[in-house]
């Protein structure tokens, strides 16, 4: 017969050593055991909380992750076909069905997006930090505006945002561009209608921005991208547009810029790009070193 290990009877130093080795998965599981264990999980400070929390949402999944490794997953209860699982027994998640997938906790919900938002709220409380990154990466991720709204309402901004839904309604892309407050990295794979034009000129102050299917990006939008790295694919920008941007940059605009990469559909006329610009032509074997 085994004897229960009285974890909370340990003195502070050995208890902290145990918590330091639980990792983020263990901290979540511990917090769900009782009110006391949750209080200890919230007050704990150490390597098990050295995380960058990510929320990932698609048609078949909703997941809290750390460094793209699942910590807590939300799935639709209908996916089980009526099979009844064990339920959590404490706190706000009492009665929620669950199972384990390796170290990852999996909980079942009538609506997985509602579950993912509840998980996001709980993770912010347990780990004492905001969500670092939101990934929306599935063609059929229904209702994703709710996730963006919740993020902006609860923490005002997000460090990184990835949007992978290619066929995007114009009004949905307008909503993202006007309401999302991203401070670090923005990746957009959206493909709006062929006549789409942003309601307002874009203004971005980011570390990096990457836009696929960027036929809708106009000269005015490029001039508003004060980012360290700008990557744009499938662009309809012209040689004249790049000439205007180059002069803008040389005059001090887009001062953060270190790298601009644009993939265009039409050939670039470099005489037009450098028209009216003083420059020194270097050999291809000459490397430039950027100093921060």
């Amino acid at each position: 017969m085994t004897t229960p290990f009285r974890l909370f009877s340990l003195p502070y130093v050995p208890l902290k050593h145990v918590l330091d080795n639980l990792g983020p998965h263990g901290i979540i599981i511990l917090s769900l055991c009782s009110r006391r264990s949750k209080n200890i999980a919230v007050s704990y400070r150490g390597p098990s909380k050295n995380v960058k929390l990510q929320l990932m949402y698609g048609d078949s999944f909703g997941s809290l992750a750390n460094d793209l490794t699942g910590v807590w997953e939300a799935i639709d209860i209908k996916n089980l076909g009526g099979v009844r699982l064990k339920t959590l027994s404490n706190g706000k998640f009492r009665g929620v069905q669950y199972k384990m997938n390796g170290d990852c906790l999996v909980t079942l919900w009538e609506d997985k997006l509602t579950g993912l938002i509840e998980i996001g709220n709980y993770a912010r409380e347990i780990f004492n930090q905001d969500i670092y990154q939101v990934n929306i990466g599935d063609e059929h991720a229904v209702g994703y505006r709710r996730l963006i709204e919740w993020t902006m309402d609860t923490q005002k901004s997000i460090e990184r945002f990835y949007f992978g839904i290619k066929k995007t309604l114009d009004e949905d892309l307008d909503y993202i561009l006007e309401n999302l407050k991203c401070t670090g990295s923005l990746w957009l794979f959206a493909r709006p209608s062929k006549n789409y034009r942003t309601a307002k000129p874009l203004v971005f102050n980011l570390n990096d921005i990457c836009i696929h299917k960027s036929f809708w990006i106009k000269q005015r939008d490029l001039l508003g991208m004060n980012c360290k790295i700008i990557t744009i694919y499938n662009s309809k920008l012209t040689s004249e547009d790049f000439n205007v941007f180059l002069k803008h940059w040389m005059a001090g605009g887009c001062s953060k810029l270190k790298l601009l990469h644009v993939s265009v559909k039409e050939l670039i006329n470099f005489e037009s790009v450098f028209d009216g610009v003083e420059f020194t032509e270097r050999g291809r074997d000459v490397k430039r070193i950027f100093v921060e």
Side-chain angles (χ1 to χ4, degrees):
M1 181 177 180
T2 58
T3 302
F5 179 68
R6 299 187 180 279
L7 176 64
F8 300 145
S9 296
L10 292 174
Y12 171 76
V13 172
L15 175 60
K16 185 178 184 306
H17 183 71
V18 172
L19 297 178
D20 286 347
N21 287 276
L22 285 182
H25 300 82
I27 293 296
I28 285 289
I29 297 298
L30 176 68
S31 72
L32 293 169
C33 292
S34 67
R35 182 179 299 178
R36 183 182 181 190
S37 65
K38 179 184 177 182
N39 290 338
I40 289 175
V42 171
S43 61
Y44 161 73
R45 300 292 185 274
S48 290
K49 283 191 175 180
N50 291 343
V51 295
K52 291 183 177 178
L53 298 174
Q54 302 156 323
L55 291 182
M56 307 170 70
Y57 178 60
D59 176 50
S60 59
F61 66 92
S63 179
L64 171 73
N66 173 43
D67 196 24
L68 300 179
T69 300
V71 175
W72 188 346
E73 187 175 345
I75 63 174
D76 285 324
I77 198 168
K78 62 185 178 183
N79 292 345
L80 281 190
V83 176
R84 183 73 182 177
L85 301 178
K86 293 183 294 184
T87 60
L88 297 172
S89 59
N90 185 63
K92 65 184 300 183
F93 298 102
R94 181 188 298 272
V96 174
Q97 294 185 64
Y98 78 96
K99 62 180 180 177
M100 296 300 299
N101 182 12
D103 289 335
C104 183
L105 175 65
V106 181
T107 48
L108 281 67
W109 304 82
E110 294 293 340
D111 172 39
K112 66 176 177 298
L113 180 53
T114 298
L116 182 61
I117 290 173
E118 290 293 339
I119 290 169
N121 277 319
Y122 191 76
R124 293 177 73 247
E125 179 185 5
I126 297 301
F127 290 97
N128 320 103
Q129 61 181 274
D130 285 341
I131 303 299
Y132 177 77
Q133 179 173 329
V134 171
N135 287 25
I136 300 173
D138 192 290
E139 285 296 315
H140 306 288
V142 178
Y144 57 79
R145 274 200 194 189
R146 284 173 53 203
L147 183 57
I148 298 174
E149 289 172 358
W150 170 81
T151 303
M152 295 301 98
D153 288 344
T154 55
Q155 58 186 59
K156 308 307 179 186
S157 66
I158 189 78
E159 177 69 19
R160 293 185 175 186
F161 183 79
Y162 173 96
F163 186 79
I165 298 180
K166 296 177 182 178
K167 293 182 180 180
T168 309
L169 295 175
D170 291 356
E171 54 265 34
D172 283 354
L173 184 54
D174 273 337
Y175 174 82
I176 292 171
L177 294 174
E178 292 178 16
N179 293 279
L180 183 75
K181 301 298 185 294
C182 184
T183 58
S185 301
L186 175 64
W187 298 280
L188 292 176
F189 287 75
R191 186 174 63 201
S193 68
K194 63 180 181 180
N195 296 319
Y196 175 73
R197 185 177 177 85
T198 57
K200 301 176 182 178
L202 299 181
V203 178
F204 290 114
N205 289 282
L206 302 169
N207 183 68
D208 61 282
I209 184 169
C210 179
I211 303 177
H212 290 250
K213 304 297 181 184
S214 68
F215 59 87
W216 49 276
I217 294 292
K218 308 301 182 186
Q219 180 191 111
R220 65 171 190 170
D221 303 317
L222 183 62
L223 296 177
M225 295 183 186
N226 188 20
C227 306
K228 184 176 180 180
I229 301 172
I230 302 173
T231 307
I232 301 175
Y233 297 99
N234 302 294
S235 172
K236 287 188 175 182
L237 293 170
T238 66
S239 302
E240 289 71 26
D241 291 331
F242 291 119
N243 177 257
V244 172
F245 178 81
L246 184 58
K247 291 176 179 177
H248 173 72
W249 175 68
M250 294 181 71
C254 299
S255 58
K256 291 182 179 179
L257 184 65
K258 292 291 186 290
L259 174 64
L260 171 66
H261 176 92
V262 183
S263 171
V264 294
K265 292 189 174 183
E266 297 183 6
L267 290 177
I268 293 296
N269 183 328
F270 285 99
E271 289 187 3
S272 297
V273 172
F274 292 107
D275 182 44
V277 176
E278 293 186 10
F279 65 94
T280 301
E281 186 171 355
R282 304 279 189 183
R284 289 183 176 272
D285 59 336
V286 177
K287 294 183 179 181
R288 293 192 64 186
I289 300 175
F290 294 103
V291 179
E292 294 288 345

